[in-house]
Every structure is written in structure tokens, then in C-alpha cells.
């Protein structure tokens, strides 16, 4: 695992828990729904491709949303989400593999497993269409990416700066997310995406992650080159269907 000494205490705690968490006992083989195809379908219908995140709580959110996660997921899809992200991290985000399993059964859009996977056996916990690999926290990014793809997962490789972007490109990532949240300080700055995006190759599916809180933010990320947006807190706060619609239609309702 790359440098963890300089990350926020909450993130150190997340990573300690991730290292201790068991993996799956059987190697998975996934029949994945295509994220790039889902993005293209949304674009063709005039919707911004939004990955809406089922995120019951987090270290930077007050309280926990106790609603049925499957019902929330359905409302996000009804609101036009091209894909969903489901937290499976239990200790800091209130997620579970069971939530993801039930949600993936209930919807027909691609589902991203949002967790802090640090070892190959942790890929085998639950089937999803896309799996998150965070460049900063993975020792052998190309090895883990290869292991994910060998199971037919699509991998979303998350980066925060140019160095991590180079690492992701070298590892062969075809879906890259630029996280606007600095995991060292937990501060969010949309300028992060704007500074990293220009170096991302054209053929990569590029996602702006974190800190998108208004339709104006959504347009800003799209203007900077985002193919899609990953939105958590701003969708989870209130009526999730209406909130999703707001982001999905941010360009048409301008
Ligand atoms: O969201 C947090 O508080 C957080 C804290 C520490 C590590 C990671 C964290 N979030 C993970 C994410 O990637 C976000 O859930 C996701 O990008 C959505 O972000 P947002 O729209 O800002 O909720």
C-alpha cells in the first residue's frame, strides 16, 4: 500500500479496517453490464451520465440514512441514473455486500462496488459490474487490475493527481475516476478534476468523483471533460429521485 502516514485519521482507520477484512472464499466470474454502453445510452437520450451513489453515511456526513437501500437505488434509476455506486464498506460508510447483491438484482443498470479493496481475494466478496481500485491505496495496481479483469469486472481506477494518473494509464486502466476529495485532508476541490483531466487519453472513460453538489458543478465537470459524474452526498440528502434528475438534466435545464 502506498503512503498512508500522511492521510487523515478517518482514512487511516478505513484502511486499517480494509486490511483486516476477509476476502471471498471462491473466485468470482462476473457477467458485467457495460458502463461505457450505459454512458453512451444516457448521452444519446440527452442525459448526463450520472453514477448515483447509495451511501448511507461517511466520515464527512452527519447521521445515517436508514431507508431501504434497494428502494433508494430504484428511485435513483427512476431519476435517470445511468449507473449506481453502492458502498459495501461496513465500518465507516454503513454499506454491505448484501446491499449490493440485492440492488444489483433489482435494477438493470451497471453497479459499481464502492469499497477499499487492497488484496486480490477481496475482489471475490460479491459480484458487481464495476469495481473500484484506488491507485493511492493499492500496492500493485497493474496486478490487481489484471486480477479484476480476469474475473470480468470492469475496473474504475481512482486517481487524485498527475502521478497517480500516469500509474493508472501505465497499468492499462480504461475507466478512470479523478477524485476531487483529497484523502489526505478530506477536503474537496473541483479544480482537482480540471487540473488532471487534460492529460487523460481520449479513449479512456473519464469520471469526475466527489464534491459535485449543484447542477452548476455538474456542468463545470462536463466542461472540463468528464464523460460521467459520480455523485453521492448531494443525491442522498433528501428526495433521491428529484436530486438525481437535477444532475442528469443539468445541461438541458440550464
Ligand atoms: O465521502 C467521504 O466522506 C469519504 C471519506 C473518506 C474516504 C472516502 C470518502 N468518500 C468516498 C467517495 O469516493 C465518495 O463517496 C464519492 O466519490 C461520492 O462523493 P460525494 O458526492 O462528495 O459524496
Amino acid at each position: 500500500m502506498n503512503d498512508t502516514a500522511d492521510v487523515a485519521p478517518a482514512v487511516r482507520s478505513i484502511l486499517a479496517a480494509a486490511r483486516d477484512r476477509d476476502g471471498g472464499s471462491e473466485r468470482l466470474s462476473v457477467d458485467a453490464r457495460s458502463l461505457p454502453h450505459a454512458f453512451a445510452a444516457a448521452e444519446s437520450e440527452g442525459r448526463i451520465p450520472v453514477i448515483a451513489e447509495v451511501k448511507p453515511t461517511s466520515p464527512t456526513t452527519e447521521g445515517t440514512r436508514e431507508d431501504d437501500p434497494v428502494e433508494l437505488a430504484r428511485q435513483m434509476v427512476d431519476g435517470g441514473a445511468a449507473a449506481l455506486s453502492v458502498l459495501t464498506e461496513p465500518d465507516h460508510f454503513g454499506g454491505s455486500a448484501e446491499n449490493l447483491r440485492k440492488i444489483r438484482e433489482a435494477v438493470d443498470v451497471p453497479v459499481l462496488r464502492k469499497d477499499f479493496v487492497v488484496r486480490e481475494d477481496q475482489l471475490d466478496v460479491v459480484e458487481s459490474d464495476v469495481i473500484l481500485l484506488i491507485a493511492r491505496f493499492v500496492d500493485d495496481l497493474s496486478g490487481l487490475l489484471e486480477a479484476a479483469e480476469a474475473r470480468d469486472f470492469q475496473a474504475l481506477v481512482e486517481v487524485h493527481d498527475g502521478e497517480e494518473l500516469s500509474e493508472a494509464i501505465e497499468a492499462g486502466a480504461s475507466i478512470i475516476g479523478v477524485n476531487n476529495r483529497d484523502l489526505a485532508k478530506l477536503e474537496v476541490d473541483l479544480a482537482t478534476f480540471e487540473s488532471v483531466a487534460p492529460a487523460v487519453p481520449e479513449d479512456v472513460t473519464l469520471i469526475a468523483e466527489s464534491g459535485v453538489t449543484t447542477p452548476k458543478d455538474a456542468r463545470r465537470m462536463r466542461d472540463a471533460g468528464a464523460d460521467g459524474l459520480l455523485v453521492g452526498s448531494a443525491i442522498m440528502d433528501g428526495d433521491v429521485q428529484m436530486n438525481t434528475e437535477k444532475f442528469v438534466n443539468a445541461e438541458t435545464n440550464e
Side-chain angles (χ1 to χ4, degrees):
M1 192 175 298
N2 295 333
D3 51 334
T4 58
D6 59 342
V7 299
V11 179
R12 261 207 301 282
S13 166
I14 291 168
L15 287 170
R19 277 194 294 268
D20 284 350
R21 206 164 295 126
D22 289 338
S25 50
E26 268 179 46
R27 186 188 162 108
L28 295 179
S29 175
V30 179
D31 183 12
R33 302 167 193 162
S34 166
L35 186 71
H37 288 176
F39 277 16
E43 289 278 8
S44 73
E45 291 164 10
R47 288 180 283 131
I48 295 182
V50 169
I51 306 176
E53 185 159 276
V54 180
K55 180 182 184 183
T57 187
S58 86
T60 58
T61 316
E62 268 179 37
T64 299
R65 183 120 189 202
E66 307 281 1
D67 315 42
D68 174 12
V70 175
E71 193 41 44
L72 291 174
R74 284 204 182 99
Q75 290 168 22
M76 289 167 177
V77 173
D78 288 346
L84 299 177
S85 166
V86 179
L87 261 305
T88 56
E89 205 278 356
D91 302 315
H92 304 79
F93 292 86
S96 73
E98 191 51 25
N99 282 354
L100 190 148
R101 199 174 289 119
K102 286 193 285 192
I103 288 171
R104 189 162 180 258
E105 234 174 66
V107 301
D108 56 6
V109 300
V111 180
L112 162 72
R113 176 178 167 210
K114 200 71 182 315
D115 209 324
F116 296 78
V117 170
V118 293
R119 291 192 316 272
E120 180 169 347
D121 64 314
Q122 293 173 334
L123 296 171
D124 294 321
V125 167
V126 62
E127 289 188 27
S128 65
D129 305 289
V130 189
I131 191 137
L132 179 72
L133 301 178
I134 303 175
R136 179 165 193 167
F137 298 135
V138 170
D139 278 333
D140 174 13
L141 182 60
S142 30
L144 206 50
L145 180 59
E146 205 176 299
E149 290 177 345
R151 290 160 171 81
D152 289 329
F153 285 107
Q154 298 157 95
L156 164 56
V157 177
E158 178 180 300
V159 304
H160 183 67
D161 58 27
E163 202 179 314
E164 289 173 8
L165 174 65
S166 303
E167 206 190 324
I169 293 169
E170 214 165 289
S174 61
I175 305 175
I176 293 178
V178 178
N179 195 347
N180 288 310
R181 182 172 284 108
D182 178 354
L183 295 179
K185 300 183 193 134
L186 293 187
E187 284 165 5
V188 172
D189 182 357
L190 297 186
T192 305
F193 182 86
E194 290 167 327
S195 69
V196 176
V200 175
E202 261 306 301
D203 58 350
V204 163
T205 300
L206 177 59
I207 298 167
E209 299 178 25
S210 303
V212 175
T213 53
T214 64
K216 192 171 168 214
D217 293 340
R219 289 193 290 274
R220 180 173 165 188
M221 294 294 93
R222 292 276 284 174
D223 287 346
D227 295 309
L229 312 174
L230 172 58
V231 186
S233 316
I235 286 180
M236 288 295 287
D237 184 11
D239 182 324
V240 300
Q241 179 168 341
M242 267 176 48
N243 290 340
T244 306
E245 280 166 3
K246 200 171 65 180
F247 291 106
V248 162
N249 299 318
E251 281 165 347
T252 42
N253 291 347
E254 204 172 342

